């Protein structure tokens, strides 16, 4: 595809998110999940003698969240969206057989 000035124009409709933006987003998700983990461990320590059942839930969250955070942070980039096909098939032409040729030559 070219512009009037002759410069080539690229179609970026299906372009991926930039690498820096992808890394920044994964870092943000990791920091948020680690903050939730820290708060849950603190809550487990504070609630240990007050509400033991809630403390166990908070402690379990604090133990499981690092694994989940690492798996989410290390998840690869998003898959590339498939672009619409620009291939246009050639239309099928009807076959001409001998009987059609005779009919058309007889008419002229």
């Amino acid at each position: 595809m070219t512009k009037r000035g002759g410069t080539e124009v690229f179609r970026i409709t299906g372009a991926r998110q930039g690498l820096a933006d992808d890394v920044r987003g994964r870092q943000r998700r990791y920091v948020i999940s680690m903050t939730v983990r820290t708060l849950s461990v603190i809550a487990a320590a504070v609630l240990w003698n007050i509400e033991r059942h809630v403390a166990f839930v908070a402690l379990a969250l604090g133990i499981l969240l690092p694994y989940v955070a690492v798996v989410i942070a290390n998840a690869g980039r998003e898959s590339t969206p498939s672009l619409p096909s620009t291939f246009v098939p050639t239309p099928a032409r009807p076959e001409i057989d001998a009987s059609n040729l005779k009919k058309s030559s007889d008419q002229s």
Side-chain angles (χ1 to χ4, degrees), residues 40-100:
S40 68
V41 169
I42 291 171
V46 169
L47 294 173
W48 190 257
N49 289 329
I50 301 169
E51 191 68 39
R52 187 115 346 153
H53 293 92
V54 178
F56 275 123
V57 171
L59 190 61
L61 185 66
I63 291 171
L64 294 176
L65 247 161
Y67 173 75
V68 173
V70 168
V71 168
I72 291 172
N74 288 335
R77 298 183 73 187
E78 77 275 0
S79 60
T80 55
S82 61
L83 295 175
S85 176
T86 57
F87 175 74
V88 178
T90 56
R93 295 182 181 177
E95 291 186 21
I96 300 175
D97 57 355
S99 63
N100 287 341

Side-chain angles (χ1 to χ4, degrees), residues 10-16 81 83-84:
F10 295 97
R11 181 173 141 181
I12 61 167
T13 305
R16 283 192 197 180
L83 295 175

Side-chain angles (χ1 to χ4, degrees), residues 15-27 29 73 75-78:
R16 283 192 197 180
Q17 182 183 19
L19 182 60
D21 292 336
D22 181 57
V23 170
R24 189 178 314 118
R26 286 193 277 153
Q27 286 174 343
R29 287 190 299 269
R77 298 183 73 187
E78 77 275 0

